[in-house]
mmCIF file of all heavy atoms in Angstrom:
data_model
loop_
_atom_site.group_PDB
_atom_site.id
_atom_site.type_symbol
_atom_site.label_atom_id
_atom_site.label_comp_id
_atom_site.label_asym_id
_atom_site.label_seq_id
_atom_site.Cartn_x
_atom_site.Cartn_y
_atom_site.Cartn_z
ATOM 1 N N SER A 111 -10.675 -5.059 0.013
ATOM 2 C CA SER A 111 -10.484 -6.196 -0.897
ATOM 3 C C SER A 111 -9.011 -6.575 -0.991
ATOM 4 O O SER A 111 -8.665 -7.751 -1.069
ATOM 5 C CB SER A 111 -11.045 -5.872 -2.286
ATOM 6 O OG SER A 111 -12.446 -5.796 -2.232
ATOM 7 N N ALA A 112 -8.129 -5.576 -0.981
ATOM 8 C CA ALA A 112 -6.690 -5.865 -1.004
ATOM 9 C C ALA A 112 -6.289 -6.655 0.238
ATOM 10 O O ALA A 112 -5.523 -7.618 0.148
ATOM 11 C CB ALA A 112 -5.897 -4.568 -1.090
ATOM 12 N N ALA A 113 -6.809 -6.276 1.388
ATOM 13 C CA ALA A 113 -6.491 -6.999 2.627
ATOM 14 C C ALA A 113 -6.994 -8.440 2.561
ATOM 15 O O ALA A 113 -6.309 -9.364 3.009
ATOM 16 C CB ALA A 113 -7.095 -6.283 3.828
ATOM 17 N N ARG A 114 -8.178 -8.629 1.983
ATOM 18 C CA ARG A 114 -8.706 -10.000 1.838
ATOM 19 C C ARG A 114 -7.765 -10.859 0.994
ATOM 20 O O ARG A 114 -7.514 -12.014 1.312
ATOM 21 C CB ARG A 114 -10.092 -9.980 1.193
ATOM 22 C CG ARG A 114 -11.188 -9.803 2.168
ATOM 23 C CD ARG A 114 -12.554 -10.098 1.522
ATOM 24 N NE ARG A 114 -13.481 -9.110 2.019
ATOM 25 C CZ ARG A 114 -13.985 -8.108 1.321
ATOM 26 N NH1 ARG A 114 -13.711 -7.959 0.045
ATOM 27 N NH2 ARG A 114 -14.811 -7.250 1.869
ATOM 28 N N ILE A 115 -7.253 -10.287 -0.082
ATOM 29 C CA ILE A 115 -6.308 -11.024 -0.933
ATOM 30 C C ILE A 115 -5.061 -11.360 -0.138
ATOM 31 O O ILE A 115 -4.593 -12.493 -0.144
ATOM 32 C CB ILE A 115 -5.949 -10.210 -2.190
ATOM 33 C CG1 ILE A 115 -7.163 -10.091 -3.116
ATOM 34 C CG2 ILE A 115 -4.760 -10.839 -2.925
ATOM 35 C CD1 ILE A 115 -6.982 -9.078 -4.230
ATOM 36 N N LEU A 116 -4.529 -10.390 0.552
ATOM 37 C CA LEU A 116 -3.312 -10.597 1.327
ATOM 38 C C LEU A 116 -3.523 -11.688 2.377
ATOM 39 O O LEU A 116 -2.706 -12.593 2.511
ATOM 40 C CB LEU A 116 -2.908 -9.284 2.001
ATOM 41 C CG LEU A 116 -1.525 -9.262 2.600
ATOM 42 C CD1 LEU A 116 -0.964 -7.864 2.533
ATOM 43 C CD2 LEU A 116 -1.533 -9.748 4.009
ATOM 44 N N LEU A 117 -4.610 -11.618 3.108
ATOM 45 C CA LEU A 117 -4.863 -12.592 4.163
ATOM 46 C C LEU A 117 -5.137 -13.981 3.604
ATOM 47 O O LEU A 117 -4.779 -14.979 4.217
ATOM 48 C CB LEU A 117 -6.017 -12.117 5.048
ATOM 49 C CG LEU A 117 -5.691 -10.863 5.859
ATOM 50 C CD1 LEU A 117 -6.945 -10.326 6.542
ATOM 51 C CD2 LEU A 117 -4.582 -11.119 6.856
ATOM 52 N N SER A 118 -5.744 -14.066 2.423
ATOM 53 C CA SER A 118 -6.014 -15.380 1.828
ATOM 54 C C SER A 118 -4.748 -16.004 1.253
ATOM 55 O O SER A 118 -4.694 -17.201 1.020
ATOM 56 C CB SER A 118 -7.077 -15.273 0.735
ATOM 57 O OG SER A 118 -6.559 -14.600 -0.397
ATOM 58 N N ARG A 119 -3.695 -15.204 1.035
ATOM 59 C CA ARG A 119 -2.448 -15.690 0.446
ATOM 60 C C ARG A 119 -1.343 -15.807 1.495
ATOM 61 O O ARG A 119 -0.173 -15.824 1.171
ATOM 62 C CB ARG A 119 -1.990 -14.742 -0.656
ATOM 63 C CG ARG A 119 -2.949 -14.665 -1.818
ATOM 64 C CD ARG A 119 -2.574 -13.541 -2.736
ATOM 65 N NE ARG A 119 -1.158 -13.528 -3.018
ATOM 66 C CZ ARG A 119 -0.607 -13.883 -4.165
ATOM 67 N NH1 ARG A 119 -1.358 -14.262 -5.153
ATOM 68 N NH2 ARG A 119 0.689 -13.847 -4.343
ATOM 69 N N ALA A 120 -1.728 -15.880 2.756
ATOM 70 C CA ALA A 120 -0.745 -15.856 3.833
ATOM 71 C C ALA A 120 0.271 -16.997 3.738
ATOM 72 O O ALA A 120 1.384 -16.862 4.206
ATOM 73 C CB ALA A 120 -1.451 -15.897 5.179
ATOM 74 N N HIS A 121 -0.092 -18.110 3.128
ATOM 75 C CA HIS A 121 0.816 -19.251 3.075
ATOM 76 C C HIS A 121 1.277 -19.564 1.654
ATOM 77 O O HIS A 121 1.526 -20.710 1.313
ATOM 78 C CB HIS A 121 0.144 -20.475 3.708
ATOM 79 C CG HIS A 121 -0.243 -20.229 5.129
ATOM 80 N ND1 HIS A 121 0.675 -20.079 6.132
ATOM 81 C CD2 HIS A 121 -1.451 -20.047 5.694
ATOM 82 C CE1 HIS A 121 0.056 -19.845 7.266
ATOM 83 N NE2 HIS A 121 -1.237 -19.820 7.025
ATOM 84 N N THR A 122 1.411 -18.527 0.843
ATOM 85 C CA THR A 122 1.868 -18.699 -0.530
ATOM 86 C C THR A 122 3.329 -19.135 -0.522
ATOM 87 O O THR A 122 4.148 -18.535 0.172
ATOM 88 C CB THR A 122 1.730 -17.383 -1.322
ATOM 89 O OG1 THR A 122 0.364 -16.995 -1.283
ATOM 90 C CG2 THR A 122 2.165 -17.562 -2.756
ATOM 91 N N PRO A 123 3.681 -20.185 -1.257
ATOM 92 C CA PRO A 123 5.080 -20.616 -1.286
ATOM 93 C C PRO A 123 6.002 -19.516 -1.811
ATOM 94 O O PRO A 123 5.625 -18.762 -2.700
ATOM 95 C CB PRO A 123 5.081 -21.814 -2.234
ATOM 96 C CG PRO A 123 3.693 -22.029 -2.682
ATOM 97 C CD PRO A 123 2.822 -20.952 -2.124
ATOM 98 N N SER A 124 7.189 -19.429 -1.262
ATOM 99 C CA SER A 124 8.122 -18.373 -1.666
ATOM 100 C C SER A 124 9.010 -18.804 -2.828
ATOM 101 O O SER A 124 9.853 -18.040 -3.254
ATOM 102 C CB SER A 124 8.976 -17.968 -0.468
ATOM 103 O OG SER A 124 9.695 -19.094 -0.016
ATOM 104 N N ASP A 125 8.813 -20.019 -3.335
ATOM 105 C CA ASP A 125 9.683 -20.509 -4.411
ATOM 106 C C ASP A 125 9.095 -20.250 -5.798
ATOM 107 O O ASP A 125 9.412 -20.916 -6.754
ATOM 108 C CB ASP A 125 9.960 -22.005 -4.219
ATOM 109 C CG ASP A 125 8.695 -22.846 -4.256
ATOM 110 O OD1 ASP A 125 7.592 -22.287 -4.138
ATOM 111 O OD2 ASP A 125 8.831 -24.072 -4.389
ATOM 112 N N ARG A 126 8.269 -19.263 -5.937
ATOM 113 C CA ARG A 126 7.681 -18.916 -7.224
ATOM 114 C C ARG A 126 7.994 -17.462 -7.541
ATOM 115 O O ARG A 126 8.431 -16.717 -6.683
ATOM 116 C CB ARG A 126 6.180 -19.152 -7.212
ATOM 117 C CG ARG A 126 5.507 -18.395 -6.092
ATOM 118 C CD ARG A 126 4.058 -18.131 -6.375
ATOM 119 N NE ARG A 126 3.501 -17.284 -5.353
ATOM 120 C CZ ARG A 126 3.715 -15.988 -5.223
ATOM 121 N NH1 ARG A 126 4.508 -15.362 -6.034
ATOM 122 N NH2 ARG A 126 3.146 -15.291 -4.272
ATOM 123 N N SER A 127 7.757 -17.079 -8.779
ATOM 124 C CA SER A 127 8.004 -15.698 -9.196
ATOM 125 C C SER A 127 6.979 -14.780 -8.551
ATOM 126 O O SER A 127 5.824 -15.163 -8.361
ATOM 127 C CB SER A 127 7.888 -15.583 -10.712
ATOM 128 O OG SER A 127 8.882 -16.357 -11.324
ATOM 129 N N PRO A 128 7.370 -13.537 -8.239
ATOM 130 C CA PRO A 128 6.418 -12.601 -7.645
ATOM 131 C C PRO A 128 5.294 -12.260 -8.625
ATOM 132 O O PRO A 128 5.483 -12.291 -9.837
ATOM 133 C CB PRO A 128 7.263 -11.374 -7.317
ATOM 134 C CG PRO A 128 8.521 -11.523 -8.086
ATOM 135 C CD PRO A 128 8.691 -12.962 -8.405
ATOM 136 N N THR A 129 4.144 -11.951 -8.085
ATOM 137 C CA THR A 129 2.970 -11.652 -8.900
ATOM 138 C C THR A 129 2.328 -10.340 -8.456
ATOM 139 O O THR A 129 2.596 -9.841 -7.366
ATOM 140 C CB THR A 129 1.908 -12.761 -8.789
ATOM 141 O OG1 THR A 129 1.506 -12.862 -7.420
ATOM 142 C CG2 THR A 129 2.443 -14.097 -9.254
ATOM 143 N N THR A 130 1.456 -9.831 -9.324
ATOM 144 C CA THR A 130 0.664 -8.650 -9.001
ATOM 145 C C THR A 130 -0.806 -9.017 -9.056
ATOM 146 O O THR A 130 -1.265 -9.606 -10.029
ATOM 147 C CB THR A 130 0.920 -7.511 -10.014
ATOM 148 O OG1 THR A 130 2.281 -7.130 -9.951
ATOM 149 C CG2 THR A 130 0.049 -6.307 -9.715
#
Side-chain angles (χ1 to χ4, degrees):
S111 291
R114 273 192 220 108
I115 292 168
L116 192 149
L117 293 171
S118 70
R119 296 170 46 107
H121 301 291
T122 302
S124 60
D125 61 345
R126 56 156 186 75
S127 296
T129 60
T130 298

